[in-house]
C-alpha cells in the first residue's frame, strides 16, 4: 500500500520577554513555540501505479523567522542578552543614557532583512531596535559611551565564518537625516571570527529618536 500524504512544515515563532531594572536584574522569560503540521493529499494520473515521484508535493518555502525581546533599560547601561533565533544568540552592550521617563527597547532579530534602510553586502544577522519612553517629553534618547567594542559582547551563529572580519553597521535616523532620504551610518569593525562567534559588538553611543526603527547589521562589509 502506497503513502499518499506529505507533511508540511510551518514557521516557528519565538517570543521572549525580559525585564531589567537599574538597581537589580530580574529575568522573566516566556517562550512560545508553535509547530503546526498540515497534510495534503497527492493524486496520481489515471492508470499509473503510485510511485515515489508521483507522491512528491511542492512544499511552500519556509517563511523567514524572527524573534524579539522587550526590555526596560537601565540608565547605567549593561549587557543585553539577544533572543535565540535561527541558531544565533549572544549579548550586546547598551551604553548609559539620560531620560525623563522609563525607557523600553524592543529588539527584533532575524537572519533575513527586517526593513533596513540599506542592506550591506554580506549581511548575515539583522537587529531592529525601537525605543520608547514613559515620558512624552522624551522625543530623543541620547546614548553615551564608547564606540570601542565591548569585551563582553559576543554573537554566535551558524553563518559566522572563522577568520572573517565583520562590521557592525548602525543605521540611526535623526531629525537632520529623515528616514525616507538617508540615515547616519556608523560602522564598528570586529576582530576576526573565532569558530562561529563574532566578538565585541556594542550598541554605539549616539542619539536615537523615540519610536523610530534603528538597525544594527552584522556583515562582512568594510
Amino acid at each position: 500500500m502506497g503513502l499518499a500524504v506529505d507533511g508540511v512544515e510551518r514557521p516557528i515563532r519565538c517570543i521572549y520577554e525580559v525585564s531589567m531594572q537599574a538597581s537589580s536584574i530580574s529575568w522573566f522569560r516566556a517562550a512560545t513555540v508553535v509547530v503546526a503540521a498540515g497534510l495534503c493529499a497527492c493524486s496520481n494520473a489515471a492508470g499509473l501505479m503510485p510511485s515515489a515521484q508521483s507522491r512528491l508535493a511542492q512544499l511552500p518555502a519556509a517563511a523567514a523567522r524572527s524573534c524579539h525581546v522587550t526590555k526596560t533599560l537601565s540608565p547605567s547601561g549593561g549587557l543585553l542578552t539577544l533572543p535565540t533565533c535561527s541558531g544565533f544568540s549572544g549579548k550586546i552592550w547598551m551604553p548609559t543614557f539620560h531620560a525623563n521617563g522609563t525607557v523600553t527597547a524592543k529588539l527584533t532579530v532575524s537572519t533575513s532583512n527586517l526593513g533596513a534602510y540599506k542592506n550591506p553586502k554580506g549581511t548575515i544577522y539583522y537587529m531592529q531596535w525601537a525605543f520608547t519612553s514613559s515620558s512624552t517629553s522624551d522625543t530623543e534618547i541620547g546614548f553615551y559611551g564608547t564606540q570601542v567594542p565591548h569585551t563582553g559582547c559576543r554573537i554566535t551563529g551558524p553563518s559566522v565564518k572563522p577568520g572573517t572580519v565583520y562590521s557592525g553597521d548602525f543605521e540611526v535616523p535623526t531629525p537632520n537625516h529623515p528616514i525616507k532620504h538617508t540615515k547616519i551610518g556608523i560602522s564598528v569593525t570586529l576582530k576576526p571570527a573565532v569558530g562561529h562567534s563574532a566578538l565585541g559588538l556594542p550598541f554605539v553611543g549616539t542619539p536615537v529618536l523615540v519610536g523610530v526603527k534603528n538597525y544594527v547589521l552584522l556583515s562582512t562589509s568594510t
Side-chain angles (χ1 to χ4, degrees):
M1 182 173 64
L3 181 64
V5 294
D6 289 326
V8 178
E9 182 180 357
R10 300 186 183 276
I12 301 173
R13 183 174 178 83
C14 308
I15 300 177
Y16 297 80
E17 298 295 335
V18 183
S19 178
M20 173 179 178
Q21 302 300 326
S23 59
S24 62
I25 302 176
S26 298
W27 297 95
F28 299 94
R29 184 172 71 175
T32 301
V33 180
V34 180
V35 182
L39 298 178
C40 64
C42 302
S43 61
N44 296 299
L48 295 179
M49 294 296 292
S51 65
Q53 288 79 11
S54 66
R55 290 195 300 268
L56 290 177
Q58 283 290 95
L59 298 181
R65 184 173 66 164
S66 63
C67 308
H68 76 255
V69 60
T70 300
K71 177 188 175 78
T72 300
L73 299 181
S74 167
S76 60
L79 285 169
L80 185 150
T81 300
L82 303 172
T84 300
C85 197
S86 300
F88 276 83
S89 61
K91 294 183 178 181
I92 190 170
W93 178 261
M94 299 301 298
T96 59
F97 67 90
H98 172 75
N100 295 307
T102 301
V103 175
T104 301
K106 179 179 179 180
L107 165 63
T108 303
V109 300
S110 179
T111 54
S112 298
N113 196 344
L114 294 169
Y117 306 117
K118 290 187 178 180
N119 190 12
K121 182 179 180 181
T123 300
I124 61 172
Y125 188 62
Y126 297 82
M127 288 181 270
Q128 180 192 90
W129 298 81
F131 299 91
T132 57
S133 174
S134 61
S135 174
T136 55
S137 63
D138 289 325
T139 58
E140 183 177 282
I141 301 170
F143 287 94
Y144 308 100
T146 179
Q147 294 183 18
V148 176
H150 190 276
T151 55
C153 303
R154 176 189 297 267
I155 295 179
T156 300
S159 301
V160 179
K161 298 179 180 179
T164 301
V165 176
Y166 289 90
S167 292
D169 294 287
F170 291 74
E171 299 185 353
V172 184
T174 71
N176 297 323
H177 297 78
I179 300 174
K180 62 183 180 180
H181 293 307
T182 185
K183 52 84 183 169
I184 291 180
I186 307 170
S187 180
V188 176
T189 300
L190 308 179
K191 297 178 181 179
V194 179
H196 293 287
S197 295
L199 307 177
L201 183 66
F203 188 95
V204 299
T206 186
V208 298
L209 294 176
V210 170
V212 171
K213 292 177 181 178
N214 305 276
Y215 294 89
V216 182
L217 311 179
L218 184 63
S219 72
T220 55
S221 300
T222 55

